[in-house]
Amino acid sequence: MRALFIHGEKDLRIGEKPKPEPTADEYLLKVASVLVCGSDLHYYMEGKLGTRVVEQPQVPGHEIAAWIWDDRAPELGLKKGQLVAVEPSRFCGECHYCKTGIPNLCTNIKFQGSPPNPGAFAEYITAPKEAIFAVPDHFTPEMTAALEPIGIGVHALKKADLQLADSVAILGAGPIGLVLLQLVRAHGAGKIYCVDPIEYRAKKAKELGADKVGASYEEIVEWTDGKGCDLVIEATTSPNAFVESVAVVKAAGRIVLVGIPTGVNYSEMNAMPFRSKEPTVKICNRMGEVFPEAIELVLRGHIDIEALITHRGTLDDAIEIFDRQGEHKDGALKSAIYPNGIPE
Ligand SMILES: [Zn+2]
Ligand SMILES: [Zn+2]
């Protein structure tokens, strides 16, 4: 079957690999749509994500909608051909963290699309039953694949302790920042300030309900007369993001760090303002078991995911799609790739 491989920095190729054979506790899935994530782009643009380096040709992709393509589908209460969402994390279920309800910190986790585990930019994948989530009939492949990044937002917001009418600063208006913007609105936030140096992204934040948008965190300092916001959500790729978060948080406020810095594996911190404001800081690693909540939020119309999907194509368009999204060209926010062709 055909699949997309990252061979190293800026080296993406279409190749062949054997169609996967499900083991006794796995099911065969035909991939409907996979969205291109910022983390896929880290692997593509840098050949690595933090300390995880592409050493062998790596199939990326973890935001997955697929059709269950296995004759054993009825074992799951599903019809063959039914659209499902696929959780990309394979939790061990045995370690301390799995057993205490924080499986995203599983010490034996295998994450689809993170080296060396193959991802979903391929015609077929397999998954165990715990990773397969049925979706409502009217969900499209794109809405279904988007449940994963929405889940990242749900996980982040659960850490945020957002109170009614809290002022919120969102640093970064990429797909995750824009999901979080919609979630904090649904959650009863007060004023929402969102900044991103890329103009079309900031504009999208305005369309999706941010009160004020701009290019730099310094504008938030200005808009709040130096007082800052109750809650800061950081969803950038900047190594300076932690310093910026501290600059825009109110004293005794909260900061949730979601972004992954580009180019380096550290975030800067300036100790004195950090100490003098005494903020609570939380950091996110992927997500817990939040697919049911993500489905509920889409079902209730709290998230407009289609507003974020700007480009579509097949595996043959993948290089163009990765370049466009990675270089922030043509208004690209999020792209959907259809490994088995775009359905009519
Ligand atoms: Zn992702
Ligand atoms: Zn575990």
Side-chain angles (χ1 to χ4, degrees):
M1 65 169 186
R2 299 174 85 215
L4 201 63
F5 294 84
I6 297 176
H7 286 250
E9 189 182 326
K10 296 290 296 238
D11 186 358
L12 187 65
R13 306 179 208 168
I14 296 167
E16 286 283 333
K17 62 180 277 194
K19 184 172 166 183
E21 289 282 346
T23 60
D25 22 321
E26 287 178 334
Y27 296 84
L28 182 67
L29 298 153
K30 183 173 178 177
V31 179
S33 178
V34 184
L35 307 184
V36 178
C37 174
S39 61
D40 299 320
L41 293 169
H42 276 283
Y43 287 119
Y44 174 55
M45 308 292 280
E46 303 172 61
K48 63 183 168 63
L49 177 91
T51 53
R52 279 182 226 121
V53 181
V54 174
E55 277 159 359
Q56 300 290 326
Q58 169 68 32
V59 179
H62 60 270
E63 301 181 358
I64 314 161
W67 298 289
I68 180 123
W69 214 252
D70 199 301
D71 293 334
R72 294 174 298 143
E75 292 174 15
L76 303 174
L78 301 171
K79 284 196 289 283
K80 189 174 173 182
Q82 189 173 335
L83 188 70
V84 296
V86 183
E87 154 71 69
S89 294
R90 301 286 175 269
F91 308 119
C92 78
E94 301 290 328
C95 71
H96 171 75
Y97 302 102
C98 282
K99 286 189 166 155
T100 53
I102 34 179
N104 57 308
L105 303 185
C106 171
T107 46
N108 308 307
I109 203 165
K110 290 195 168 77
F111 191 81
Q112 265 183 295
S114 173
N117 310 300
F121 285 113
E123 290 175 275
Y124 295 90
I125 55 169
T126 58
K129 93 167 180 284
E130 316 79 74
I132 296 172
F133 291 85
V135 295
D137 285 343
H138 69 279
F139 274 33
T140 64
E142 290 172 11
M143 286 159 84
T144 303
L147 293 169
E148 201 271 346
I150 294 169
I152 299 289
V154 171
H155 180 70
L157 198 53
K158 282 184 181 216
K159 291 186 175 284
D161 189 26
L162 178 65
Q163 303 294 316
L164 279 176
D166 269 357
S167 54
V168 181
I170 298 175
L171 306 181
I176 296 291
L178 294 171
V179 161
L180 276 154
L181 163 61
Q182 298 182 65
L183 290 179
V184 299
R185 284 188 68 204
H187 211 293
K191 287 259 184 319
I192 304 170
Y193 307 105
C194 188
V195 291
D196 195 297
I198 299 163
E199 205 183 335
Y200 71 79
R201 290 191 181 207
K203 204 168 143 244
K204 184 64 89 172
K206 184 81 191 168
E207 282 166 33
L208 290 171
D211 292 278
K212 279 185 190 289
V213 301
S216 153
Y217 72 100
E218 284 151 321
E219 293 171 74
I220 301 180
V221 176
E222 217 170 276
W223 297 329
T224 60
D225 296 324
K227 289 194 206 74
C229 294
D230 297 300
L231 172 66
V232 179
I233 293 171
E234 181 280 319
T236 76
T237 54
S238 166
N240 197 42
F242 188 51
V243 169
E244 297 178 11
S245 300
V246 171
V248 298
V249 74
K250 205 182 249 183
R254 282 148 279 131
I255 296 172
V256 181
L257 300 168
V258 191
I260 301 173
T262 292
V264 293
N265 189 36
Y266 59 82
S267 304
E268 297 205 9
M269 177 183 119
N270 44 359
M272 201 55 194
F274 185 29
R275 179 181 301 113
S276 61
K277 282 191 170 178
E278 237 185 35
T280 300
V281 181
K282 303 256 180 111
I283 184 156
C284 301
N285 183 39
R286 301 180 180 139
M287 60 183 189
E289 290 176 315
V290 293
F291 267 87
E293 287 103 317
I295 291 170
E296 190 68 17
L297 289 161
V298 175
L299 203 52
R300 290 178 175 273
H302 289 313
I303 291 274
D304 178 2
I305 201 67
E306 271 139 351
L308 307 189
I309 301 192
T310 50
H311 296 84
R312 296 169 177 80
T314 64
L315 288 178
D316 296 306
D317 308 310
I319 295 172
E320 197 187 324
I321 282 176
F322 270 62
D323 280 336
R324 187 194 292 119
Q325 194 171 319
E327 289 162 16
H328 311 302
K329 287 189 298 205
D330 305 332
L333 278 166
K334 203 143 186 72
S335 321
I337 291 180
Y338 288 80
N340 285 290
I342 302 177
E344 293 297 303

